[in-house]
Amino acid sequence: MSPRLTFTLTLLGVLLAGVPLVALTGKRAAAPQEAAAAVPQETCCMLAEVRFDGAPTSLRLMHLGHELAALPAGTESPWVTEIALPPHTAELELQAEWPGAAQHAVNITLTHGAESATDTQWSDPAATSLHTLFTLPW
């Protein structure tokens, strides 16, 4: 075989192998991941019963940084509100503030149908606020 024919066949083989390789390793491979991340999560409504000692000046329930509910002014314990969470999610962030420094307890009970879960958190005795994550077995 002549060197020119060998070179042409080699170049043709590299091009035939290179085109599928570029298609497999190109940026189009990230598109399915983006589409999966854009699918909205299903939510289910559940009751949250929040019990506290000493009326807080503010109390907010959040999930992944999004506020789910805020305690209306003048509300006494227990406070019952409806919240929407993704199914089988049992992590709620709570931010509460009290007018004076003392140890306070906050108890949350989530109820969905016949299932319920409860957890209690305590503030530091010298603190006027409580910022905590409730992890409820679901």
Side-chain angles (χ1 to χ4, degrees):
M1 257 205 290
S2 73
R4 188 176 288 172
L5 182 60
T6 304
F7 175 75
T8 305
L9 290 175
T10 304
L11 182 62
L12 183 63
V14 168
L15 288 176
L16 288 176
V19 170
L21 185 60
V22 169
L24 290 174
T25 60
K27 295 206 179 230
R28 288 185 289 171
Q33 293 172 350
E34 293 169 8
V39 173
Q41 285 190 338
E42 214 178 286
T43 60
C44 61
C45 291
M46 56 185 64
L47 287 179
E49 181 179 358
V50 182
R51 295 181 181 274
F52 45 84
D53 64 338
T57 54
S58 71
L59 188 143
R60 298 185 322 154
L61 292 176
M62 297 180 294
H63 177 68
L64 298 176
H66 300 287
E67 185 173 299
L68 300 174
L71 179 73
T75 303
E76 294 183 9
S77 180
W79 171 48
V80 179
T81 186
E82 191 173 292
I83 59 175
L85 287 172
H88 307 293
T89 297
E91 289 188 351
L92 281 176
E93 183 180 351
L94 176 120
Q95 291 181 354
E97 293 185 18
W98 285 270
Q103 188 171 30
H104 295 281
V106 177
N107 173 276
I108 295 181
T109 302
L110 291 181
T111 305
H112 179 67
E115 299 179 45
S116 68
T118 188
D119 190 15
T120 302
Q121 299 282 333
W122 294 84
S123 69
D124 188 285
T128 60
S129 65
L130 176 64
H131 185 178
T132 188
L133 184 68
F134 281 83
T135 304
L136 302 158
W138 201 251

